[in-house]
Amino acid sequence: DIVMTQSPDSLAVSLGERATINCKSSQSVLYSSNNKNYLAWYQQKPGQPPKLLIYWASTRESGVPDRFSGSGSGTDFTLTISSLQAEDVAVYYCQQYYSTPKDFGPGTKVDIK
Amino acid sequence: EVQLVQSGAEVKKPGESLKISCKGSGYSFTNYWIGWVRQMPGKGLEWMGVIYPGDSRTTYSPSFQGQVTISADKSISTAYLQWSSLKSSDTAMYYCARSEKEAAGRGDFWGQGTLVTVSS
């Protein structure tokens, strides 16, 4: 199984400042035949289902603000919120969908400082 | 408009059986995967498995294989998650999520969740 880890567990950022979340997979999730990283990022607010933000490691889902960006390849990935807004307070999860089980990372809680 | 509408909250006793549902609309149900994700109280997301309603191909996480059954009835655009004998540790919120064919298991669109409470 591919094990997903995230860091930090939580972070507090001032409004308008940058938030950076890291995700690491125990094996590469880059599929060589199509050169795609099978890595997604989700946002979950209290009492709501998760919402897809980023897929293929760096493709923003339709309707997601451009302050959210994803980067990385292979085993190391980053979600960046360039200018934190109050509505971005949530838990953020990465997920690999390269192989079964398509597990999630443990989550990173983002708060306002 | 794409919608995944899940069945309502359930309160069950240990040992009872249960089947919860996820009805898709606004898209071609047979051309997308439907997956299930567990979230225990105050915890993270756990991937359980997926089904492709077009041909009923099903894949389970080893952690859930044998513990639950995932099925679908394409005639009514509905996927199911089923337990034959519930345990108190099955108490959780369960989400269904749609995935594109080339990205099985990725949750592009999510249901609202079904809260299952198992208590004697």
Side-chain angles (χ1 to χ4, degrees), chain B:
Chain B
E1 177 195 7
V2 174
Q3 285 195 334
L4 291 175
V5 178
Q6 297 186 228
S7 49
E10 301 274 2
V11 180
K12 292 288 190 179
K13 290 181 167 41
E16 292 186 332
S17 63
L18 176 64
K19 192 173 190 178
I20 63 175
S21 66
C22 170
K23 183 174 177 59
S25 62
Y27 72 99
S28 178
F29 187 74
T30 54
N31 289 342
Y32 290 80
W33 296 86
I34 291 282
W36 289 93
V37 173
R38 182 174 80 175
Q39 188 165 38
M40 299 177 77
K43 302 299 184 183
L45 305 173
E46 299 175 89
W47 189 82
M48 301 177 73
V50 286
I51 188 166
Y52 192 72
D55 58 15
S56 294
R57 273 181 290 160
T58 309
T59 304
Y60 293 91
S61 166
S63 297
F64 292 93
Q65 179 88 48
Q67 308 305 308
V68 297
T69 301
I70 295 172
S71 60
D73 184 342
K74 60 186 179 184
S75 69
I76 54 172
S77 300
T78 301
Y80 301 97
L81 180 65
Q82 183 174 2
W83 295 261
S84 59
S85 181
L86 286 160
K87 309 179 188 68
S88 57
S89 57
D90 292 318
T91 294
M93 181 71 81
Y94 293 88
Y95 294 103
C96 64
R98 188 191 79 164
S99 308
E100 291 185 349
K101 191 173 182 182
E102 63 170 341
R106 185 184 78 199
D108 298 345
F109 196 88
W110 295 66
Q112 83 276 19
T114 296
L115 180 62
V116 174
T117 303
V118 184
S119 175
S120 53

Side-chain angles (χ1 to χ4, degrees), chain A residues 13 18 22 28 30 34 45 47 51 65 69-70 75 82-83 85 87 96-97 108:
Chain A
V13 176
R18 178 184 301 260
N22 300 301
S28 176
L30 175 62
N34 60 11
K45 297 180 180 179
K51 174 187 174 184
S69 63
T75 61
S82 61
S83 176
Q85 305 300 304
E87 61 265 32
Q96 66 83 12
Y97 49 101
T108 295

